[in-house]
Amino acid sequence: MMIQAQDINIKKILYATDLSDNARYVFAYAVSLAVKYSASITILHVVHEVPTFTDRSVANYIEADIWAQIKKRHLEDARQVLIGKRKEHLAIKEMLDQFAEKVQSADGASKFDFDEVLVEIGNPVEVILEVAENRNCDIIVMGKTGQGFIEAALMGSTATRVVRRSKKPVLVVRNPD
């Protein structure tokens, strides 16, 4: 089956942002697509959750009961970190809402809408894929930032992992530097 240009129908765009310096550059691509196709944009930022494998990893270094005591002693610190993360979560959401309003009013002549602004906590790859699927997005637009050789070799970038696993088309915009 051959797809023709006229067969492409983009109505919902998921713009996944890491809030890096490159984010505005990438957002311009999302807006360009939204204007071209009269599509709406959902903005998503994922706050990376601490991996759950920590307990198992620590077992290689100390005994389980000692680890339990350490965790108990630092429970209050952990609560404060979570409270801080929740506050950061809300601040990021408010900042993205303001950004969406500003872009929309500055680009009022262009025809596109914002569906919603989401800030989620979790594994960025999993959350991006889940949101794209659950919100019936037609395309994911995201940036690819540079990373160190070791990190790339061990984990791969978020963008690379999204491209590999997504059932939706993914536009990856490389940092212009």
Side-chain angles (χ1 to χ4, degrees):
M1 180 175 137
M2 194 159 154
I3 296 178
Q4 303 293 319
Q6 65 269 20
D7 295 335
I8 304 297
N9 191 14
I10 298 173
K11 292 298 172 198
K12 293 185 71 126
I13 298 167
L14 176 60
Y15 165 63
T17 179
D18 62 359
L19 304 177
S20 67
D21 294 340
N22 192 34
R24 283 183 182 266
Y25 180 75
V26 176
F27 187 67
Y29 280 85
V31 170
S32 177
L33 283 171
V35 169
K36 179 174 176 58
Y37 290 97
S38 299
S40 62
I41 299 174
T42 296
I43 298 175
L44 171 66
H45 173 71
V46 182
V47 178
H48 194 75
E49 189 175 51
V50 177
T52 57
F53 61 85
T54 303
D55 282 340
R56 289 179 294 218
S57 299
V58 169
N60 294 326
Y61 297 96
I62 60 175
E63 295 174 13
D65 60 332
I66 295 172
W67 176 234
Q69 291 170 12
I70 291 170
K71 287 194 301 186
K72 187 176 180 182
R73 281 196 306 267
H74 294 281
L75 182 60
E76 188 55 37
D77 290 342
R79 283 190 186 126
Q80 292 306 315
V81 167
L82 286 173
I83 290 169
K85 184 182 275 188
R86 285 191 192 114
K87 285 181 185 172
E88 176 187 346
H89 178 272
L90 294 174
I92 291 169
K93 168 90 167 85
E94 186 175 334
M95 182 270 302
L96 286 171
D97 283 333
Q98 291 296 318
F99 173 72
E101 274 183 41
K102 185 177 176 181
V103 169
Q104 201 167 24
S105 63
D107 212 352
S110 301
K111 188 180 178 199
F112 73 95
D113 295 313
F114 286 103
D115 280 335
E116 57 190 326
V117 176
L118 304 170
V119 179
E120 303 288 339
I121 298 173
N123 176 305
V125 174
E126 299 297 329
V127 174
I128 290 167
L129 294 172
E130 182 179 306
V131 168
E133 196 64 36
N134 292 344
R135 301 279 193 301
N136 295 314
C137 295
D138 299 303
I139 190 168
I140 301 167
V141 178
M142 60 190 304
K144 176 161 177 46
T145 56
Q147 58 186 3
F149 174 75
I150 301 288
E151 182 183 353
L154 292 176
M155 296 179 55
S157 73
T158 299
T160 300
R161 289 181 283 153
V162 168
V163 168
R164 284 185 187 145
R165 295 185 48 203
S166 180
K167 296 175 184 172
K168 312 277 182 176
V170 181
L171 172 61
V172 179
V173 181
R174 188 160 187 76
N175 192 335
D177 293 337

